[in-house]
């Protein structure tokens, strides 16, 4: 017969202990034990059998033994003893001693806890959602001594939030944004990991009385340390110094994000502003770099044009095989005379191609000129493209196919935005996001939320301006392409720009296309703000009508980007070519 076991020496009774037993073993107060558990990541457990009662909070014995070896345990005990000395000095009315002792309060760091809980940097990125959400929450809260929220914590949270946003803008990592009653939901892709966080609306916050802010401040203390590690690593990956320097002048003008971006992305902002102005004086080195980029772009466009001419010419020759023998006999004499002459590349604008235009519906030269205009315009509606459409208005009745293709090309090129050209891969989502607003300058009205809009606009390649200190453009600047307003009516209007509501910026960023500005005109009810975090079809199989419209616009923009990049499109029969009638995978 074996030795009889005593009660509580095996099973759940030995593997788990109540919170009271853990506090007695560690010789801590309840607040200190709760703080240490949060910092170490130790949480209560739910055993199958609760030997001490169902209304108790249980912890695993191994977790408590792990806490017993934590170096912070001695620091908390020293802080407890130090507070007792301060109270004793105040009780003896020794203010000088109490003041001196208060300045000698023991301090501690949480760096070793971050390295302990997150062995690799990817683990820290995966657990960054709650840290960013709580950080942005306290960045908007007031410093209230009644609830124990010190001003230093608020300032630190604000600084870390701005550093994170500046990195998202600098790297172009922003992917989705959704506006709700709670605030702004953002999602960024950082080193292959999706990070989602919530930013509250910039309104006066009412602090509820039934919330234990001490617990939240303990979580914030660890999360701020974690964010400092993450920001330091991300900034050094980009080759930037950390921490960045804030411009005091812009910070005083309530342009904190612009103040921090001036240090880490000043060169990028200058280049974007010069590209938008189209000819503003820059330094000699910048001019040489711009000239080199322009020559490279022209070479790419010429190679694209030659490839298009070869493909369209082959298609025209294939369509005219039946009459090739007659044309060879007629042109035999003329070809002999022109043997010594250099070949001339047909631009498709001569009157000799009228017969071919009638046969093909859309002329080879006209089609190429259309593509040239789209490629040179960088995704924006150019004057040559608009004139091409106007000249073809009379021919649309006779050739409906030509008008249909012209309308698709024009709508697709406008919707593609700045992400149109040989330097942008249509299949690269990161490149589309970085260049969607390229070449666009937005002026933000005083009534719109500046910081969320500035974050989205700059992350997607645009330039943001406002009425105040630090703005790169004033309201009367001719370089402004869009003005974001949120008022029932706009009195004074500039004919050279579009007036849209803030939702236009968010929807365009989510759908990766430039939405129609007429749907978001000031004073009108905008379309439904669809969430980018859910699919087009819900659980019941319902697809919103506006989602179908957006899908068609995305297909047109994808086709325009693929043509501009010189990639092959797939036709209905599975063949690959570049030309009219091309369809993109997934198009409806």
């Amino acid at each position: 017969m074996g030795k009889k076991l005593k009660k509580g020496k095996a099973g759940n009774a030995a593997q788990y202990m109540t919170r009271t037993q853990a506090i007695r073993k560690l010789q801590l107060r309840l607040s200190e034990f709760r703080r240490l558990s949060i910092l170490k990541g130790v949480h209560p457990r739910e055993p199958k059998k609760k030997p001490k009662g169902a209304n108790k909070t249980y912890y695993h014995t191994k977790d408590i033994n792990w806490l017993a070896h934590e170096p912070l345990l001695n620091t908390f005990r020293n802080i407890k003893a130090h507070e007792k000395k301060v109270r004793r000095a105040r009780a003896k009315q020794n203010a000088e001693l109490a003041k001196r002792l208060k300045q000698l309060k023991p301090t501690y760091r949480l760096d070793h806890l971050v390295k302990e809980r997150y062995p690799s940097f990817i683990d820290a990125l995966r657990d960054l959602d709650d840290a960013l959400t709580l950080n942005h929450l306290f960045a908007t809260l007031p410093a209230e001594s009644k609830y124990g929220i010190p001003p230093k914590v608020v300032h630190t949270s604000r600084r870390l939030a701005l550093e994170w946003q500046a990195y998202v803008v600098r790297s172009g990592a922003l992917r989705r944004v959704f506006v709700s009653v709670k605030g702004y939901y953002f999602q960024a892709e950082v080193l292959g990991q999706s990070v989602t966080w919530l930013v509250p609306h910039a309104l006066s916050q009412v602090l509820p009385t039934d919330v234990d802010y001490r617990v939240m401040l303990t979580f914030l203390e660890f999360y701020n340390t974690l964010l400092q590690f993450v920001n330091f690593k991300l900034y050094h990956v980009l080759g930037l110094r950390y921490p960045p320097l804030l411009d005091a002048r812009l910070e005083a003008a309530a342009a904190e994000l612009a103040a921090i971006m001036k240090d880490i992305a000043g060169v990028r902002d200058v280049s974007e502003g010069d590209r938008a102005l189209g000819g503003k004086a820059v330094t000699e080195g910048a001019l040489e770099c711009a000239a080199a980029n322009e020559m490279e772009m022209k070479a790419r466009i010429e190679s694209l044009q030659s490839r298009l001419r070869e493909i369209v010419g082959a298609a025209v020759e294939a369509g005219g095989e039946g009459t090739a023998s007659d044309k060879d006999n007629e042109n035999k004499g003329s070809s002999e005379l022109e043997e010594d002459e250099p070949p001339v590349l047909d631009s498709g604008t001569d009157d000799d191609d009228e017969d071919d235009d009638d046969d093909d519906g859309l002329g080879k030269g006209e089609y190429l000129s259309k593509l040239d205009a789209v490629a040179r315009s960088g995704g924006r509606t150019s004057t040559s493209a608009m004139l091409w459409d106007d000249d073809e208005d009379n021919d649309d009745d006779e050739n409906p196919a030509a008008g249909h293709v012209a309308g698709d090309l024009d709508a697709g090129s406008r919707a593609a935005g700045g992400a149109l050209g040989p330097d942008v891969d249509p299949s690269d989502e990161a490149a589309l996001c970085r260049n969607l607003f390229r070449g666009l300058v937005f002026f933000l009205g005083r009534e719109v939320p500046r910081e969320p809009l500035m974050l989205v606009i700059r992350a997607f390649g645009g330039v943001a301006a406002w009425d105040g200190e630090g703005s790169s453009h004033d309201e009367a600047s001719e370089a402004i392409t869009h003005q974001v307003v949120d008022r029932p009516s706009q009195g004074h209007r500039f004919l050279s720009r579009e007036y849209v509501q803030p939702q236009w910026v968010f929807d365009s960023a989510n759908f990766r296309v430039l939405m129609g500005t007429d749907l978001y005109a000031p004073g009108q009810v905008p379309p439904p703000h669809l969430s980018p975090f859910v699919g087009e079809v819900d659980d019941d199989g319902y697809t919103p009508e506006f989602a179908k419209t957006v899908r068609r616009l995305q297909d047109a923009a994808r086709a325009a980007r693929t043509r501009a990049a010189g990639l092959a499109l797939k036709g209905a029969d599975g063949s690959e070519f570049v030309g009219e009638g091309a369809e993109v995978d997934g198009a409806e």
Side-chain angles (χ1 to χ4, degrees):
M1 183 176 180
K3 185 178 180 180
K4 185 177 180 180
L5 297 178
K6 295 183 180 180
K7 184 178 180 181
K9 297 297 182 179
N12 290 336
Q15 293 180 0
Y16 299 94
M17 64 175 59
T18 61
R19 187 176 62 183
T20 304
Q21 292 175 335
I23 291 175
R24 290 176 180 175
K25 182 176 182 178
L26 298 177
Q27 299 180 4
L28 293 174
R29 292 176 295 186
L30 177 59
S31 59
E32 296 172 347
F33 173 75
R34 184 185 293 117
R35 186 178 186 184
L36 183 63
S37 301
I38 292 174
L39 295 178
K40 292 284 290 185
V42 175
H43 304 287
R45 304 292 186 93
E46 286 292 334
K48 294 182 179 179
K49 294 182 180 180
K50 301 180 178 180
K52 299 297 182 180
N55 58 344
K56 302 289 185 180
T57 302
Y58 291 87
Y59 289 86
H60 204 281
T61 304
K62 291 184 177 180
D63 293 340
I64 302 303
N65 293 334
W66 186 44
L67 292 180
H69 295 82
E70 173 59 37
L72 287 178
L73 194 60
N74 295 328
T75 304
F76 289 161
R77 291 170 180 169
N78 295 334
I79 293 177
K80 181 180 179 181
H82 177 266
E83 292 177 354
K84 187 181 296 184
K85 294 180 181 179
V86 174
R87 288 196 302 267
R88 187 183 298 112
R90 289 177 179 175
K92 293 183 178 179
Q93 310 254 332
N94 193 344
E96 183 179 356
L97 178 61
K99 183 179 180 180
R100 186 169 65 254
L101 289 175
K102 192 174 181 180
Q103 295 176 353
L104 299 176
K105 182 179 180 180
T107 59
Y108 59 91
R109 298 177 64 89
L110 304 179
D111 300 349
H112 67 285
L113 294 182
V114 175
K115 298 178 182 179
E116 180 181 283
R117 294 179 60 175
Y118 305 105
S120 63
F121 184 64
I122 298 299
D123 296 334
L125 290 178
R126 292 172 181 170
D127 200 22
L128 207 59
D129 297 357
D130 294 338
L132 286 173
T133 300
L134 190 62
N135 178 267
H136 283 80
L137 173 62
F138 273 87
T140 59
L141 292 181
E144 187 66 48
S145 59
K146 177 181 178 181
Y147 300 103
I149 304 178
K152 184 178 179 180
V153 172
V154 177
H155 294 162
T156 303
S157 301
R158 180 63 177 168
R159 178 180 58 84
L160 293 175
L162 290 175
E163 291 174 359
W164 169 260
Q165 294 179 13
Y167 167 78
V168 171
V169 172
R170 181 65 177 83
S171 61
L174 190 62
R175 295 293 178 266
R176 295 178 179 88
V177 56
F178 180 70
V179 186
S180 69
V181 179
K182 295 182 179 180
Y184 301 89
Y185 288 89
F186 294 99
Q187 186 178 82
E189 185 176 351
V190 181
L191 300 182
Q193 301 297 326
S194 296
V195 181
T196 307
W197 71 96
L198 174 64
V199 179
H201 293 286
L203 303 173
S204 59
Q205 303 291 338
V206 178
L207 301 180
T209 58
D210 57 347
V211 177
D212 192 350
Y213 293 96
R214 293 177 299 176
V215 175
M216 298 182 65
L217 287 172
T218 304
F219 276 102
L220 181 66
E221 183 180 8
F222 176 77
Y223 286 154
N224 282 348
T225 306
L226 173 62
L227 277 178
Q228 289 179 359
F229 271 83
V230 172
N231 289 343
F232 175 84
K233 177 66 175 180
L234 293 177
Y235 273 61
H236 278 260
V237 168
L238 296 180
L240 304 174
R241 62 184 177 190
Y242 185 84
L245 301 178
L246 267 72
D247 190 341
R249 180 174 54 89
L250 295 179
E251 185 180 8
E256 292 89 351
L257 183 58
I260 198 171
M261 283 299 300
K262 185 177 180 180
D263 179 53
I264 71 170
V267 177
R268 182 183 177 187
D269 293 345
V270 170
S271 62
E272 290 175 350
D274 296 337
R275 183 168 60 252
L277 290 174
K280 189 176 180 180
V282 291
T283 59
E284 183 178 356
L287 287 176
E288 294 178 358
C289 182
N293 294 336
E294 184 178 0
M295 294 298 295
E296 183 180 359
M297 183 69 67
K298 288 182 179 180
R300 290 183 178 181
I301 293 177
E302 290 177 359
S303 62
L304 173 62
Q305 293 173 359
S306 61
R307 183 179 178 183
L308 291 176
R309 291 189 182 97
E310 292 176 2
I311 295 175
V312 177
V316 173
E317 292 177 0
E321 287 180 357
T323 60
S325 60
D326 297 339
K327 292 183 178 180
D328 291 341
N329 295 332
E330 293 176 1
N331 298 332
K332 184 176 181 181
S334 59
S335 62
E336 294 177 354
L337 296 176
E338 296 175 356
E339 285 181 355
D340 299 335
E341 297 181 2
V344 179
L345 187 61
D346 188 6
S347 63
T349 57
D350 297 337
D351 297 334
D352 297 339
D353 294 335
E354 292 180 356
D355 296 336
D356 295 338
D357 295 342
D358 295 337
D359 296 338
D360 298 338
L362 182 63
K364 175 178 64 175
E366 295 169 341
Y367 181 75
L368 291 177
S369 63
K370 176 64 179 178
L371 291 180
D372 294 345
V374 171
R376 290 194 179 95
S377 62
R380 299 179 296 276
T381 306
S382 62
T383 306
S384 59
M386 296 302 296
L387 293 177
W388 188 88
D389 292 336
D390 295 337
D391 296 338
E392 289 297 325
D393 288 342
N394 298 331
D395 298 338
D396 289 346
D397 298 336
E398 299 177 359
N399 296 325
H404 176 69
V405 173
D408 291 345
L409 285 173
D410 191 43
S413 61
R414 286 199 303 266
L420 181 70
D423 58 336
V424 180
D425 186 2
S427 61
D428 188 0
E429 185 180 12
L432 295 180
C433 294
R434 287 194 301 266
N435 298 280
L436 180 62
F437 293 154
R438 181 176 59 178
L440 302 182
V441 180
F442 296 82
F443 186 83
L444 307 180
R446 292 174 295 177
E447 70 279 1
V448 301
R450 182 195 303 177
E451 188 168 307
L453 286 173
M454 187 184 302
L455 173 62
V456 176
I457 290 172
R458 292 197 171 189
F460 282 80
V463 178
W466 60 91
D467 185 11
E469 187 73 24
S471 177
S472 57
H473 303 82
D474 55 0
E475 186 176 2
S477 176
E478 293 293 336
I480 297 176
T481 59
H482 295 76
Q483 185 164 344
V484 184
V485 297
D486 193 11
R487 57 184 66 180
S489 61
Q490 179 69 21
H492 181 70
R493 289 176 176 264
F494 293 89
L495 300 179
S496 60
R497 68 186 64 171
E498 300 286 347
Y499 289 83
V500 294
Q501 300 182 32
Q503 184 181 334
W504 182 88
V505 178
F506 301 136
D507 288 349
S508 299
N510 291 331
F511 300 137
R512 310 293 190 264
V513 294
L514 299 185
M515 302 297 296
T517 57
D518 55 338
L519 301 175
Y520 302 86
Q524 294 187 4
V525 178
H529 184 46
L530 303 179
S531 174
F533 296 97
V534 297
E536 296 182 359
V537 182
D538 57 6
D539 297 337
D540 299 334
Y542 170 73
T543 303
E545 190 65 27
F546 184 63
K548 299 178 182 178
T549 304
V550 172
R551 180 61 177 173
R552 290 191 293 268
L553 188 60
Q554 288 175 339
D555 294 338
R558 190 181 300 110
R561 289 165 179 164
T562 306
R563 291 188 182 95
L567 302 178
L569 303 179
K570 290 185 178 180
D573 57 349
S575 60
E576 295 185 354
F577 60 93
V578 178
E580 61 177 289
E583 297 179 357
V584 183
D585 293 338
E588 296 180 354

